[in-house]
Amino acid sequence: MKTETSSALSPAVSPAIALLGILLVAATLRAPLTGIGPLLGHIRASTGLDAGSAGLLNTLPLLAFGVFSILAPVAGRRLGLERTLFLAMAGLSAGILMRSMPGIAPLFLGTLIGGIAIAVGNVMVPALVKREFPQRIAPLTGLYSVVMTLASGTAAGIAVPLADALPGGWRSSLACVLILTVPAAVVWLARARHAAASPIAEPGSPGAPVNVWRSWLAWQVTLFTGIQAFNFYILVAWLPSMLHETGMSPTQAGWMVSLLQLAALLGNIATSTFSGRLRDQKGLGLTISLLCLIGFAGMALYPAWTVVWICIGGAGLGGSLVLSLAYISLRAASTHQAASLSGMAQSLGYLIGAAGPVVCGVLRDATGSWLPALWLMVTMAGIQAWVAYGAGRSRTVSDA
């Protein structure tokens, strides 16, 4: 019988291909989403969408994360990780192509399809890291988080310049993400064709019988994942609009999102460096959550220092992303548990995250100010600090 960490390819080839595949998928898990926020002005001007509908455009992928993340482990068990990831990357490419077509319906339908595909990738990657690199979870999680952040920051920064330069405007700008998704699909197609349908776990694998839904530790991981997504996607969706109302040009506001992503990248690197060296992650989780709180509170109280607060909050959000992904692997005793915990945390977590852009858009329309949204983010960061301390304990859902 195969061991849980065995691969369908030969040992000499599998780790390199697995690492390449992980990093290519990582580059596609945020870039198709972060490019939308800076283009909302272009999209609304072209289509006539109101603020609520524009917020829904940002929220659709997160709703897809919430609904379909819980189903992704089932697909992984039946098809194997390789085939599942190929289908996810192929579906994401199709969704990106569709949302770039003329009309409002293809825009929303393509965004939804892309969200479903990203949901599958989100869930499968932590399980793949657990299977292929069980002794290097923290550095590998940090590495693919760095790639994810670099790709998403670049996509946000170049979205408006591409829309202004390309013949198709914002539609052509959105389609440029195919440069990332098509190579990822090709790599996973090649691996899927040479791999047996290796399930996430086999019957009798250690830790397989645990019901993560009955574990308070799993719920703490889920809440941490949800709150960091809630705050992150608010800024991805609305930070350009917040800054544009203070007098920044759309291009400058788009680059502020890139600055946020750069700060998040530094948070990624620092968190991945320290998380693997610590006996537990309680103090680390508390620290990065407080960075988020300070950054959001600073934006509300002292907007003249917005660049500073973006850097502080961005570093906290970057660290939060790495830790949310690391928690999934570190708090699981097996690949099966990692997939189950990943499905739970990312399903409910991103349903929480999906509410962020919509709630803040409604608050802005109702009050005429972004301050209520910022104070809501401060409150959520405080709750994140509380659950981070519990999720950071050196335990697994089996122990709990």
Side-chain angles (χ1 to χ4, degrees):
M1 181 180 294
K2 293 184 300 182
T3 63
E4 188 186 358
T5 56
S6 66
S7 172
L9 298 183
S10 65
V13 177
S14 174
I17 296 180
L19 179 58
L20 174 62
I22 288 170
L23 298 183
L24 284 172
V25 171
T28 71
L29 295 181
R30 294 295 181 272
L33 308 181
T34 56
I36 294 177
L39 293 173
L40 279 182
H42 291 67
I43 295 172
R44 292 181 64 185
S46 171
T47 61
L49 292 175
D50 57 24
S53 299
L56 180 61
L57 186 62
N58 277 291
T59 302
L60 265 180
L62 305 185
L63 292 174
F65 293 177
V67 173
F68 290 92
S69 292
I70 199 169
L71 302 176
V74 177
R77 285 193 291 270
R78 293 185 177 180
L79 301 176
L81 290 175
E82 291 81 5
R83 289 179 175 86
T84 303
L85 282 168
F86 161 66
L87 291 175
M89 292 300 98
L92 179 55
S93 299
I96 291 169
L97 188 62
M98 180 177 292
R99 75 177 183 180
S100 303
M101 294 178 178
I104 294 178
L107 172 64
F108 280 89
L109 182 58
T111 299
L112 177 61
I113 292 172
I116 294 171
I118 293 175
V120 175
N122 280 335
V123 173
M124 292 296 101
V125 171
L128 186 64
V129 170
K130 182 76 174 180
R131 191 188 76 179
E132 299 286 349
F133 306 100
Q135 305 303 321
R136 299 183 60 80
I137 290 173
L140 261 295
T141 300
L143 180 59
Y144 83 74
S145 298
V146 166
V147 171
M148 185 167 24
T149 302
L150 279 173
S152 61
T154 303
I158 67 176
V160 172
L162 284 176
D164 293 339
L166 295 175
W170 61 266
R171 298 184 189 277
S172 296
S173 179
L174 290 179
C176 287
V177 192
L178 288 168
I179 295 173
L180 301 174
T181 62
V182 171
V186 170
V187 167
W188 284 104
L189 173 62
R191 185 162 187 191
R193 291 178 62 183
H194 293 88
S198 53
I200 289 178
E202 298 183 6
S205 294
V210 172
N211 181 356
V212 296
W213 294 86
R214 300 179 65 181
S215 166
W216 172 233
L217 179 58
W219 280 101
Q220 289 174 316
V221 172
T222 298
L223 288 172
F224 184 89
T225 301
I227 293 171
Q228 64 86 24
F230 183 91
N231 287 329
F232 174 78
Y233 284 109
I234 287 172
L235 291 182
V236 167
W238 292 119
L239 182 60
S241 298
M242 292 178 185
L243 299 178
H244 184 52
E245 289 190 7
T246 67
M248 282 192 186
S249 69
T251 300
Q252 289 175 321
W255 281 111
M256 285 298 101
V257 178
S258 293
L259 177 63
L260 176 76
Q261 299 286 0
L262 177 60
L265 175 62
L266 298 178
N268 288 165
I269 296 171
T271 302
S272 60
T273 299
F274 287 109
S275 62
R277 300 177 181 179
L278 300 173
R279 187 180 63 177
D280 59 49
Q281 294 77 39
K282 294 185 294 185
L284 183 61
L286 185 61
T287 299
I288 62 177
S289 299
L290 291 177
L291 286 177
C292 294
L293 190 152
I294 292 169
F296 305 152
M299 291 174 66
L301 294 172
Y302 302 103
W305 291 9
T306 293
V307 172
V308 174
W309 307 129
I310 286 175
C311 290
I312 294 174
L317 287 172
S320 298
L321 172 61
V322 171
L323 208 52
S324 71
L325 296 170
Y327 278 159
I328 292 171
S329 298
L330 293 171
R331 302 288 88 90
S334 68
T335 305
H336 178 278
Q337 285 183 15
S340 298
L341 181 55
S342 184
M344 174 185 175
Q346 303 207 49
S347 174
L348 297 185
Y350 282 112
L351 283 176
I352 296 171
V358 174
V359 169
C360 287
V362 171
L363 284 174
R364 168 63 183 82
D365 287 346
T367 65
S369 170
W370 288 109
L371 280 177
L374 288 171
W375 285 116
L376 175 61
M377 294 170 67
V378 170
T379 302
M380 295 296 281
I383 299 172
Q384 177 182 315
W386 172 56
V387 296
Y389 189 82
R393 292 172 296 170
S394 183
R395 305 178 67 191
T396 68
V397 291
S398 296
D399 302 328

